[in-house]
C-alpha cells in the first residue's frame, strides 16, 4: 500500500470513529493545547496513531488540541490539510484551508503591499478570483496583475514578484502546477478554498497567510471539512442545506430585538470577520468623506487580543491610519479617557473611529451611558476654528448582546454607532462562530459600505452557520438571564467566603439597566514585599485556583476562553489566552470565570470554599 492510499485508509477510519466534539466544539480544550506546537503536535500524534492502528473515538479525543479557536483551525481542517499535502507531495504546513474563496489571494496581496512587491494572479476559473478590484486598489492599496489562462502550464516565469495560480480542480488528485507558480489556490464549488504553498523560500509566506486566516477570516469550518474529506475518500456527501428566508428573517428579528436596531444586520463567518468588514468600511468612509485627513483608530490596548491585533494590522496597512490608546481598566475611566483621546484627535483635525467593549474585557466594567453619549456627541473645535469631525463608535457587545444600545431611545442615538457580537458566545450557545453587526439609525448609511467589504473578503456567514443561529438565537435572552442569575449566586458566595477578594462584576443597578453578563473576573488576595513579588504570587494563586476547580470537577469546570455556552463553567486567565497579542504591561493576570445556564453553583461554591481553606485564605 503506497503512502497516499494509507492516508486515505486512515482518513476513512477517522471518519468511522469521529468524535462528536470535532464537529460541534467552537473552542477546544486548553488543557491539551500547546500554542507553540499548534497543528504540528496534533498531526505528529495522529500519524503515530495511524502507525499503531489504534484509531478509536477515545484515542482521537485524547489527541492534543490543534488550535485554541475553531476559526483559526481545528482537528478536521488539520486532517484535511494533512491529506491534501500527501496527495500533492507537500508538507502539511504548506496547505492552508479557508472558508473564504478570496482571502488566500488577499493575504498575499496584503503581504506584498507592505513589501511594495508585485503580485501576479493567473486563473483558469470562469470568473476573476478577486471581487471588487477597484475597491481593493483604492482602499487597501493592493496591486494585482490578473491574467486568465487555460492551464497552469501557461503561467510564465516572473522574477520580480509572487505568482499565484487560482483554479477549481478536483481535490482527489494532485494539482497541475509548474515551477513558475509560488502558490496555488484551489476553490471548491461549495466548501471554501485551499492554498498550496509551493515556494517555501518566500520569507514568512506561510505564516503571513496563516495570520490573515487568524485575524481577518476563518479556516474551513468543521462541517465543510467533513464534507470535503468524505468527498475525497469516496464516501457519500450529505447535500448542502440552505437557510430558508423564514430562518433568515428569524435571525434578523432576533438581532433587531436584542440590539434595538431598525436596520437589516450583516452576518459574517465569525466575530473577527464582521469586525474586519466594519473597520475597513469605516476606513473607506473616512478616506472618501475626509480625504487627506489622518484616521485615528481609538481602542483599548488591553482589549481582546484578536481585536487589538486586527486594528493594528489595519493601521499598518492604511498609510493614513494610526492607533490611539484608550485606557479603560485598572482604575482608568473609559469616558474620561475617551474625552482625552477625542480632544487629541480634534487637535490634529483627524477622523476618530472609536472601538470599545461594553462591558470591558476582562474586568466587566460598564461606563455611565449618559456620560458616554455626551462625550461622543460633544462638539469639539480644531485649532483652525472649524468643527471637528464627529466620531463613529464601534462597540463590541459580545458580553451583553441583549442591551439595546442601537435603539432610538438609547443614550447613543445621536452618535454614529455600529454594534457587533461574536455568535460563538450567547447567540449560538457555543454551537457556531458566525458574527453579526447592526447600526443605529444615524449610522445606517454605513451598512452599505461595510457590506461591500464583507462581500469582497467572501466572509459572509455560511448556510450551516445561519441555520444554527436560526435555531439558537430566539432563546438567547432566556439563556442570558438564567446564566446571569447563576453567576450572581456564585459571586455572592465568593464575597461571603472571601470578602478580601477583588471581584469585577456588574452592580445590581447595572443589572436593572439590562447589563446581565455571565462572566466575572477575580483577583485573589496576594502577599509580597515588592510589586513584582505580589504579582508573581497572584499569578501563581490564580492559576492554582483554576487547576483546583477543573481537577475537582472536570465535567463542570473547563479550561476555555469562551462563555455563553449551553452548560458548564469556563475558567481562564485572559493574559494567557484572549490577550495573547497584547503588550505584556497591558495584560491582566486575573481569573476570568463564565457560567452557563446549566451550572451547578452549589458544587462550584463548595469547591471554591475548599480551595480557600486549603490555601489558608480564610
Amino acid at each position: 500500500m503506497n503512502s497516499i492510499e494509507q492516508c486515505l485508509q486512515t482518513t476513512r477510519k477517522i471518519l468511522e470513529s469521529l468524535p462528536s466534539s470535532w464537529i460541534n466544539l467552537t473552542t477546544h480544550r486548553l488543557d491539551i493545547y500547546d500554542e507553540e506546537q499548534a497543528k504540528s503536535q496534533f498531526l505528529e500524534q495522529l500519524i503515530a496513531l495511524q502507525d499503531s492502528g489504534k484509531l478509536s473515538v477515545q484515542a482521537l479525543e485524547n489527541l492534543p488540541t490543534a488550535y485554541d479557536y475553531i476559526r483559526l483551525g481545528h482537528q478536521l481542517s488539520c486532517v484535511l490539510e494533512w491529506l491534501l499535502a500527501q496527495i500533492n507531495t507537500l508538507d502539511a504546513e504548506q496547505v492552508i484551508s479557508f472558508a473564504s474563496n478570496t482571502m488566500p489571494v488577499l493575504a498575499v496581496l496584503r503581504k506584498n503591499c507592505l513589501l511594495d512587491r508585485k503580485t501576479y494572479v493567473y486563473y483558469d476559473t470562469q470568473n476573476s478570483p478577486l471581487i471588487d478590484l477597484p475597491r481593493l486598489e483604492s482602499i487597501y492599496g493592493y496591486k494585482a496583475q490578473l491574467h486568465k489562462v487555460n492551464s497552469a502550464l501557461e503561467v510564465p516565469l516572473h522574477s520580480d514578484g509572487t505568482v499565484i495560480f487560482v483554479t477549481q480542480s478536483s481535490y482527489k488528485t494532485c494539482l497541475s502546477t509548474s515551477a513558475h507558480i509560488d502558490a496555488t489556490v484551489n476553490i471548491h464549488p461549495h466548501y471554501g478554498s485551499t492554498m498550496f504553498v509551493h515556494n517555501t523560500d518566500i520569507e514568512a509566506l506561510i505564516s503571513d497567510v496563516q495570520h490573515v486566516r487568524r485575524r481577518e477570516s476563518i479556516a474551513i469550518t468543521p462541517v465543510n471539512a467533513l464534507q470535503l474529506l468524505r468527498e475525497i475518500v469516496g464516501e457519500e456527501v450529505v447535500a448542502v442545506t440552505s437557510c430558508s428566508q423564514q430562518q433568515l428573517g428569524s435571525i434578523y428579528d432576533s438581532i433587531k430585538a436584542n440590539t434595538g436596531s431598525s436596520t437589516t444586520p450583516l452576518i459574517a463567518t465569525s466575530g473577527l470577520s464582521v469586525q474586519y468588514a466594519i473597520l475597513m468600511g469605516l476606513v473607506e468612509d473616512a478616506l472618501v468623506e475626509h480625504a487627506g485627513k489622518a484616521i485615528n483608530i481609538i481602542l483599548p490596548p488591553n482589549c481582546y487580543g484578536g481585536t487589538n491585533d486586527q486594528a493594528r494590522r489595519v493601521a499598518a496597512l492604511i498609510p493614513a491610519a494610526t492607533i490611539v490608546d484608550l485606557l479603560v481598566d485598572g482604575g482608568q475611566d473609559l469616558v474620561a479617557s475617551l474625552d482625552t483621546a477625542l480632544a487629541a484627535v480634534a487637535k490634529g483635525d483627524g477622523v476618530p473611529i472609536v472601538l470599545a467593549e461594553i462591558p470591558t474585557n476582562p474586568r466587566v466594567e460598564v461606563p455611565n451611558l449618559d456620560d458616554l453619549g455626551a462625550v461622543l456627541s460633544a462638539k469639539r473645535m480644531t485649532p483652525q476654528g472649524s468643527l471637528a469631525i464627529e466620531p463613529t463608535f464601534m462597540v463590541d457587545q459580545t458580553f451583553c448582546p441583549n442591551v439595546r444600545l442601537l435603539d432610538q431611545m438609547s443614550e447613543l442615538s445621536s452618535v454614529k454607532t455600529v454594534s457587533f457580537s461574536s455568535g460563538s458566545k450567547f447567540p449560538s450557545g457555543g454551537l457556531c462562530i458566525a458574527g453579526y453587526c447592526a447600526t443605529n439609525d444615524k449610522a445606517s448609511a454605513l451598512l452599505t459600505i461595510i457590506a461591500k467589504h464583507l462581500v469582497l473578503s467572501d466572509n459572509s456567514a455560511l448556510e450551516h452557520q445561519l441555520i444554527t443561529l436560526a435555531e439558537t438565537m430566539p432563546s438567547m435572552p432566556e439563556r442570558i438571564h438564567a446564566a446571569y442569575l447563576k453567576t450572581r449566586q456564585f459571586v455572592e458566595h465568593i464575597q461571603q467566603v472571601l470578602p478580601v477578594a477583588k471581584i469585577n462584576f456588574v452592580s445590581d443597578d447595572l443589572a436593572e439597566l439590562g447589563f446581565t453578563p455571565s462572566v466575572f473576573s477575580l483577583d485573589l488576595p496576594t502577599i509580597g514585599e515588592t510589586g513584582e513579588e505580589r504579582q508573581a504570587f497572584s499569578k501563581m494563586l490564580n492559576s492554582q485556583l483554576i487547576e483546583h476547580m477543573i481537577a475537582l470537577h472536570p465535567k463542570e469546570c473547563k479550561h476555555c476562553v469562551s462563555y455563553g455556552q449551553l452548560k458548564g463553567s469556563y475558567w481562564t486567565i485572559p493574559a494567557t489566552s484572549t490577550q495573547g497579542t497584547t503588550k505584556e504591561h497591558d495584560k491582566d493576570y486575573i481569573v476570568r470565570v463564565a457560567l452557563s445556564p446549566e451550572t451547578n453553583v452549589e458544587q462550584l461554591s463548595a469547591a471554591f470554599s475548599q480551595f480557600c481553606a486549603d490555601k489558608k485564605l480564610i
Side-chain angles (χ1 to χ4, degrees), residues 241-268:
T241 303
S242 297
C243 177
S244 69
Q245 286 301 309
Q246 183 178 358
Q247 289 172 312
L248 191 60
S250 171
I251 301 170
Y252 290 163
D253 289 345
S254 293
I255 295 173
K256 289 178 180 180
N258 282 285
T259 63
S261 175
S262 62
T263 61
T264 301
L266 298 173
I267 311 173

Side-chain angles (χ1 to χ4, degrees), residues 191-245:
Y191 306 134
S193 65
T194 305
M195 173 175 278
F196 299 80
V197 178
H198 309 297
N199 185 355
T200 56
D201 290 334
I202 300 177
E203 185 179 0
L205 177 59
I206 292 171
S207 61
D208 285 345
V209 172
Q210 283 275 21
H211 206 143
V212 165
R213 188 174 80 170
R214 182 185 187 97
R215 292 300 184 226
E216 287 96 37
S217 190
I218 66 166
I220 185 173
T221 61
V223 171
N224 284 348
L226 177 59
Q227 291 280 68
L228 189 43
L229 284 166
R230 285 172 174 161
E231 180 183 293
I232 293 170
V233 301
E235 292 188 1
E236 183 180 356
V237 176
V238 181
V240 176
T241 303
S242 297
C243 177
S244 69
Q245 286 301 309

Side-chain angles (χ1 to χ4, degrees), residues 362-596:
R363 293 197 176 267
V364 203
E365 295 175 350
V366 177
N368 180 297
L369 292 182
D370 285 320
D371 294 344
L372 178 63
V375 164
L376 285 167
S377 58
K379 303 301 180 185
R380 297 176 177 84
M381 305 302 291
T382 69
Q384 293 75 32
S386 59
L387 199 62
I389 299 166
E390 63 178 346
T392 302
F393 187 43
M394 282 178 68
V395 55
D396 184 346
Q397 270 195 257
T398 301
F399 270 5
C400 287
N402 61 328
V403 178
R404 295 170 62 87
L405 294 179
L406 304 179
D407 193 279
Q408 276 299 90
M409 300 301 292
S410 166
E411 297 86 343
L412 302 177
S413 61
S414 62
V415 180
K416 287 191 291 185
T417 304
V418 184
S419 162
F420 63 98
S421 294
S422 168
S424 66
K425 313 305 188 295
F426 265 113
S428 74
L431 299 180
C432 86
I433 61 169
Y436 59 83
C437 78
T439 72
N440 62 5
D441 286 354
K442 182 159 186 180
S444 60
L446 292 171
L447 273 176
T448 301
I449 306 172
I450 295 168
K452 298 287 186 184
H453 292 271
L454 188 59
V455 169
L456 69 82
S457 60
D458 194 32
N459 276 338
S460 295
L462 306 171
E463 295 291 327
H464 66 82
Q465 294 180 313
L466 293 172
I467 291 170
T468 300
L469 285 182
E471 294 170 347
T472 52
M473 282 207 72
S475 66
M476 183 174 76
E478 297 170 18
R479 287 185 275 115
I480 288 175
H481 181 66
Y484 164 74
L485 293 178
K486 297 275 188 176
T487 309
R488 173 63 70 188
Q489 183 183 347
F490 188 34
V491 165
E492 289 175 351
H493 174 80
I494 295 172
Q495 290 172 328
Q496 182 179 8
V497 171
L498 195 64
V500 294
K502 184 178 180 182
I503 299 174
N504 292 94
F505 192 51
V506 292
S507 65
D508 290 336
D509 290 342
L510 281 171
E512 288 182 9
L513 293 175
F515 290 96
T516 54
S518 62
V519 60
F520 68 94
S521 64
L522 171 68
D523 254 338
L524 294 172
T526 187
I527 58 174
E529 296 295 327
T530 66
E532 290 79 6
E533 288 178 356
R534 292 173 63 82
Q535 186 182 52
F537 186 84
S538 177
K539 284 183 185 180
M540 179 187 70
L541 200 60
N542 288 345
S543 295
Q544 288 176 349
L545 171 62
I546 292 177
E547 296 305 323
H548 167 82
M549 299 298 291
I550 292 173
L552 210 58
H553 301 295
K555 291 186 177 179
E556 186 72 18
C557 304
K558 301 167 186 174
H559 281 288
C560 194
V561 297
S562 197
Y563 49 92
Q565 310 295 302
L566 296 178
K567 59 182 180 179
S569 63
Y570 301 85
W571 300 71
T572 190
I573 294 177
T576 60
S577 55
T578 62
Q579 291 180 322
T581 59
T582 303
K583 295 176 183 177
E584 184 61 32
H585 65 271
D586 289 318
K587 289 185 177 182
D588 243 325
Y589 284 91
I590 56 178
V591 177
R592 197 183 78 184
V593 189
L595 276 67
S596 72

